[in-house]
Amino acid sequence: MILVAILCLYTAILSWISYHQIRFLEKEKKQAAQILNEKDYKNAANIAIENEKFKLFSHFYTLIVNITWIGFGFFYLRELLIDDNTRFENTLFLLAFLILTSILNLPLNFYETFVKDKDHGFSNMTLSLFIKDNLKSLALTLVFGFVILYALLFCYDFFGSWWWIGAFVLAFSIMIIINLIYPSFIAPLFNKMQKLDDENLLGKISALMQKCGFRADGIYIMDASKRDKRLNAYFGGLFKSKRVVLFDTLVKALNEKELLAVLGHELGHFAHKDIVKALFNSAIALFLLFFVFAHLPEFVYFESGLEGVEAGVFALLLIFGNIFHFLLWPMLNALSRKNEFAADKYGSEMTSKEDMKNALIALARENKAFIKTSKIYTFFYLSHPSIHDRLKALA
């Protein structure tokens, strides 16, 4: 079968990239420590190697799941849920596919959270919280997933052969809406958000934002540590809904100068309009995605057991969409890395070059991130440059 061959080739390429990265890390691990101390350097390398080995297993697991869907899964799901091929039946078909796929991925998520990340001192997740998170995600999928899938199928019925244009407009509009409501409505469903009450730090952050004309709905601390110890910060939302969100782990681990440098970096993305650029790039990718899948040859539907099923094109998109995106990753990631270098430079100018360097080193140390990646791995995967490359660019 051609579809199975495509999936196998894709998995083989991903596996080769991971294998190449493992060999690179094994070699670098034997070198003298750089940036990090000897213990942290070796530990970060070992964690990176284990992550790639887990990724290798995940590739093959996903391959088996996808082959199962194509081989007989779609056929049996079709027999179970589709009788008159109505829009409602097709929506249930896609929703069932999404939920079953999520259930099949639970073992991977469980192992990563409770075994791998626990062993490395990252995860603070409890079983009850893990269950609650998955139930909340399930509820969101059932409610919003049903509405979105139904709307996409409406486009398929209403616009005829031009359905993919209507589906693109709908999907991109949903993307904008999610960006608008995420910090205020979605993120609080999973984490507590409290306004920053440190007046001294609040004043300095506000002064930093005023330098570049950034206006936010507030500066919040998120209780990320109840799940994970890794550090992060982000500016969420669009227009008047923008929020500055700091992980509580970040506030605890970084000193004031380092924290301001991290925020200066994020403000660099705002000043350079990187969020707008990212949305534009996403729009192009989404447009091409719907165009390609709207023009699939008929044998694709026969091979996958989806012939005559209106939801078939969307089911195939959900399985093969990653392959399409994989072809775009090198270009999109190259643009993203360029933006990250520029944001680092902006952050260093907003604070100081030394503070920016110290912040990057602190992030690498606390997140136990190895400082280098191979050129091949960087080319295909990295949206952010390695710490080694970022520090070199700041020198």
Side-chain angles (χ1 to χ4, degrees):
M1 291 177 66
I2 296 177
L3 295 184
V4 172
I6 291 171
L7 288 172
C8 288
L9 177 62
Y10 173 60
T11 303
I13 293 171
L14 295 182
S15 300
W16 175 78
I17 295 170
S18 288
Y19 175 71
H20 182 273
Q21 177 68 357
I22 290 170
R23 291 185 62 188
F24 172 84
L25 292 167
E26 292 283 7
K27 182 179 178 181
E28 288 295 322
K29 186 175 71 170
K30 297 174 183 176
Q31 305 300 316
Q34 303 173 46
I35 300 172
L36 305 174
N37 64 43
E38 185 73 21
K39 181 181 177 182
D40 290 341
Y41 184 86
K42 301 292 185 186
N43 188 40
N46 288 329
I47 290 173
I49 290 169
E50 186 176 336
N51 286 339
E52 286 308 310
K53 289 179 178 178
F54 176 72
K55 195 179 291 184
L56 272 171
F57 177 81
S58 299
H59 294 330
F60 285 102
Y61 183 87
T62 302
L63 174 64
I64 292 170
V65 170
N66 287 337
I67 289 176
T68 301
W69 278 116
I70 291 172
F72 58 85
F74 284 140
F75 174 80
Y76 284 115
L77 196 63
R78 171 186 179 176
E79 291 294 306
L80 180 65
L81 294 175
I82 295 182
D83 185 21
D84 299 319
N85 208 23
T86 64
R87 194 180 305 152
F88 179 77
E89 288 176 347
N90 278 272
T91 304
L92 289 182
F93 176 88
L94 288 173
L95 198 59
F97 167 66
L98 284 175
I99 293 170
L100 288 171
T101 300
S102 295
I103 292 172
L104 289 171
N105 285 330
L106 274 177
L108 291 179
N109 296 334
F110 187 89
Y111 177 85
E112 184 173 21
T113 301
F114 289 100
V115 179
K116 187 169 70 69
D117 284 356
K118 286 278 188 184
D119 287 346
H120 297 315
F122 289 129
S123 179
N124 287 328
M125 181 72 77
T126 63
L127 183 59
S128 62
L129 185 57
F130 182 81
I131 293 171
K132 287 178 183 177
D133 282 351
N134 279 280
L135 288 176
K136 287 178 183 177
S137 297
L138 176 62
L140 288 172
T141 301
L142 288 172
V143 177
F144 295 104
F146 182 90
V147 173
I148 293 170
L149 293 172
Y150 191 89
L152 286 170
L153 286 163
F154 172 82
C155 291
Y156 187 87
D157 292 334
F158 186 78
F159 293 106
S161 60
W162 297 99
W163 68 266
W164 57 277
I165 295 180
F168 157 71
V169 172
L170 173 66
F172 187 66
S173 299
I174 291 169
M175 187 185 299
I176 297 292
I177 291 169
I178 289 174
N179 274 278
L180 280 169
I181 68 173
Y182 180 81
S184 302
F185 298 101
I186 299 176
L189 292 175
F190 295 90
N191 290 92
K192 290 181 180 178
M193 300 281 186
Q194 292 185 330
K195 284 198 171 184
L196 179 65
D197 57 6
D198 184 332
E199 293 297 330
N200 178 55
L201 181 58
L202 185 62
K204 291 182 178 180
I205 293 175
S206 298
L208 206 63
M209 292 191 299
Q210 287 174 5
K211 283 185 181 180
C212 63
F214 182 87
R215 294 183 180 180
D217 185 37
I219 302 169
Y220 292 81
I221 304 293
M222 187 177 85
D223 62 339
S225 60
K226 71 180 182 181
R227 291 184 179 84
D228 198 282
K229 295 179 182 178
R230 279 167 279 218
L231 318 184
N232 205 353
Y234 66 87
F235 292 164
L238 294 171
F239 312 119
K240 293 183 179 181
S241 70
K242 293 193 297 292
R243 281 186 177 185
V244 178
V245 180
L246 309 174
F247 284 23
D248 56 354
T249 51
L250 184 81
V251 176
K252 291 176 184 176
L254 269 58
N255 63 41
E256 188 177 271
K257 290 183 178 180
E258 293 167 349
L259 181 61
L260 291 173
V262 170
L263 290 173
H265 167 96
E266 297 298 334
L267 286 169
H269 288 306
F270 165 76
H272 300 148
K273 296 180 171 57
D274 290 341
I275 295 174
V276 176
K277 293 175 187 175
L279 284 172
F280 179 74
N281 291 337
S282 296
I284 294 174
L286 201 59
F287 182 85
L288 293 173
L289 177 71
F290 279 114
F291 173 79
V292 169
F293 278 84
H295 296 86
L296 293 175
E298 285 300 316
F299 80 86
V300 172
Y301 296 97
F302 285 98
E303 279 198 13
S304 57
L306 291 167
E307 69 277 8
V309 179
E310 290 191 358
V313 64
F314 299 107
L316 290 169
L317 190 151
L318 290 168
I319 284 186
F320 290 92
N322 283 338
I323 299 177
F324 173 83
H325 284 118
F326 178 75
L327 300 174
L328 297 180
W329 283 348
M331 180 183 64
L332 295 177
N333 286 337
L335 292 172
S336 177
R337 290 193 300 273
K338 181 181 178 182
N339 293 339
E340 292 300 323
F341 283 129
D344 282 346
K345 183 180 178 182
Y346 189 90
S348 69
E349 293 169 350
M350 290 282 280
T351 53
S352 76
K353 189 176 290 187
E354 196 63 29
D355 290 341
M356 192 73 245
K357 287 181 178 180
N358 289 336
L360 291 172
I361 294 170
L363 287 171
R365 182 184 65 247
E366 296 298 324
N367 289 335
K368 302 177 184 178
F370 193 62
I371 62 168
K372 294 181 181 179
T373 56
S374 70
K375 290 182 179 179
I376 290 174
Y377 194 87
T378 299
F379 177 78
F380 282 105
Y381 280 135
L382 288 198
S383 61
H384 287 55
S386 67
I387 296 297
H388 175 270
D389 290 342
R390 293 172 75 172
L391 291 174
K392 185 178 178 181
L394 285 169

